[in-house]
């Protein structure tokens, strides 16, 4: 895959599909819809030739030679928290769909599929990605709730969902102390968050945001506040 500049990543699609006829059909169809497409026939090709800076929509077939597509999805998601990923497969059992989604896919497309429906889903995903990209600036801090992440000084910091919920609350009240009880109220009741849970997640959050020159300070007798 050719190296992409930051401002050239809109409307890029990466296809990983081992059946040449399907790969060619998808590539041609999406190019005719004004998408820029890079395609691979195996995990090996993808790992050897893909651009690590790629940000776009991924279409990943499950049943690939060698390494299965579900492993590729998980590896992509480890490094890229917000590019849309579609798992494509003839496996259509509920268990298979859940496995694909849990690996990090945003949606599951069962074969055979309608090209028109696929295009509509890709277009929706692209609009969401464009919205995220439009909020990314070279300076300052931008929240990425869809990815439980934030960007500061053009660097992405990835958090767990719970860490992000706490960070977002502190960020919107930056400099003001937030009590542990107020942080607990940010979560659904069925999560049964406790003061101890909050302290554990704050401890982990502190380590992750340290490189961004942000600090979660303890305000004795009150709670926590974000500074930096």
């Amino acid at each position: 895959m050719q190296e992409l500049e930051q401002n050239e990543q809109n409307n890029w699609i990466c296809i990983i599909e081992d059946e040449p006829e399907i790969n060619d059909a998808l590539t041609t169809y999406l190019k005719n819809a004004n998408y820029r497409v890079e395609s691979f026939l195996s995990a090996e090709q993808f790992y050897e030739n893909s651009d690590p800076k790629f940000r776009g929509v991924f279409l990943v077939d499950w049943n690939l030679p060698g390494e299965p597509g579900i492993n590729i999805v998980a590896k992509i998601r480890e490094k890229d928290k917000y590019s849309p990923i579609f798992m494509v497969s003839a496996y259509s059992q509920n268990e298979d769909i859940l496995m694909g989604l849990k690996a990090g896919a945003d949606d599951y497309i069962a074969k055979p599929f309608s090209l028109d429906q696929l295009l509509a889903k890709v277009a929706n995903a692209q609009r969401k990605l464009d919205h995220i990209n439009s909020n990314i600036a070279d300076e300052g801090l931008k929240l990425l709730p869809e990815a439980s992440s934030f960007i500061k000084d053009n660097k992405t910091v990835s958090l767990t969902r719970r860490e992000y919920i706490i960070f977002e609350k502190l960020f919107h009240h930056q400099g003001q102390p937030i009590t542990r009880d107020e942080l607990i109220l940010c979560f659904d009741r069925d999560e049964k968050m406790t003061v101890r849970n909050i302290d554990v997640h704050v401890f982990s959050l502190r380590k992750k945001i340290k490189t961004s020159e942000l600090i979660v300070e303890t305000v004795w007798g009150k709670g926590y506040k974000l500074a930096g």
Side-chain angles (χ1 to χ4, degrees):
M1 182 185 294
Q2 68 189 72
E3 188 170 342
L4 306 178
E5 296 297 331
Q6 182 82 17
N7 61 358
E8 292 179 343
Q9 293 175 0
N10 291 340
N11 297 325
W12 272 101
I13 295 181
C14 175
I15 300 171
I16 310 172
E17 164 62 62
D18 69 311
E19 296 185 40
E21 291 184 0
I22 296 178
N23 196 312
D24 290 344
L26 284 171
T27 299
T28 300
Y29 185 80
L30 291 167
K31 282 185 175 180
N32 288 339
N34 296 320
Y35 286 93
R36 289 171 284 184
V37 182
E38 293 289 348
S39 61
F40 305 95
L41 293 168
S42 66
E44 183 180 8
Q45 281 189 8
F46 172 70
Y47 293 143
E48 290 181 354
N49 300 292
S50 62
D51 183 353
K53 296 180 181 179
F54 177 89
R55 292 295 180 272
V57 178
F58 289 89
L59 300 178
V60 185
D61 183 45
W62 184 313
N63 192 21
L64 295 169
E67 186 169 359
I70 194 168
N71 289 4
I72 300 176
V73 170
K75 289 179 180 179
I76 292 171
R77 192 54 81 210
E78 285 178 1
K79 298 179 179 179
D80 182 347
K81 300 297 183 183
Y82 57 91
S83 285
I85 304 176
F86 291 87
M87 185 97 250
V88 183
S89 176
Y91 304 145
S92 58
Q93 296 297 316
N94 184 60
E95 294 80 2
D96 300 319
I97 295 173
L98 287 175
M99 285 180 63
L101 297 176
K102 288 180 179 180
D106 296 282
D107 202 350
Y108 194 98
I109 300 174
K111 294 180 179 179
F113 53 82
S114 160
L115 287 174
D116 289 340
Q117 290 182 13
L118 173 68
L119 181 60
K121 290 188 175 185
V122 167
N124 288 338
Q126 185 65 57
R127 280 192 290 271
K128 292 178 182 178
L129 183 60
D130 289 344
H131 175 70
I132 292 174
N133 288 335
S134 68
N135 288 324
I136 297 175
D138 291 335
E139 298 179 352
L141 188 150
K142 298 294 180 182
L143 298 176
L144 301 174
E146 299 90 342
S148 296
S149 307
F150 68 86
I151 294 177
K152 187 175 186 295
D153 299 327
N154 210 30
K155 295 180 180 179
T156 302
V157 177
S158 299
L159 307 173
T160 66
R161 185 183 65 84
R162 289 183 172 181
E163 290 166 355
Y164 179 83
I165 289 172
I166 293 171
F167 179 81
E168 185 178 45
K169 179 68 173 181
L170 296 174
F171 175 75
H172 286 309
H173 297 83
Q174 191 163 356
Q176 303 175 23
I178 303 297
T179 67
R180 292 173 173 84
D181 288 339
E182 288 176 310
L183 292 172
I184 289 173
L185 291 174
C186 295
F187 294 86
D188 293 334
R189 290 184 178 180
D190 58 5
E191 294 197 58
K192 299 180 180 179
M193 293 292 288
T194 66
V195 168
R196 176 59 179 162
N197 294 145
I198 294 296
D199 290 342
V200 170
H201 291 305
V202 168
F203 178 78
S204 177
L205 176 63
R206 279 174 167 154
K207 293 191 293 184
K208 292 184 179 181
I209 68 175
K210 187 176 181 180
T211 57
S212 300
E213 299 181 350
L214 293 170
I215 302 171
V216 177
E217 297 180 348
T218 300
V219 182
W220 297 108
K222 294 185 178 180
Y224 297 107
K225 72 174 182 180
L226 184 67

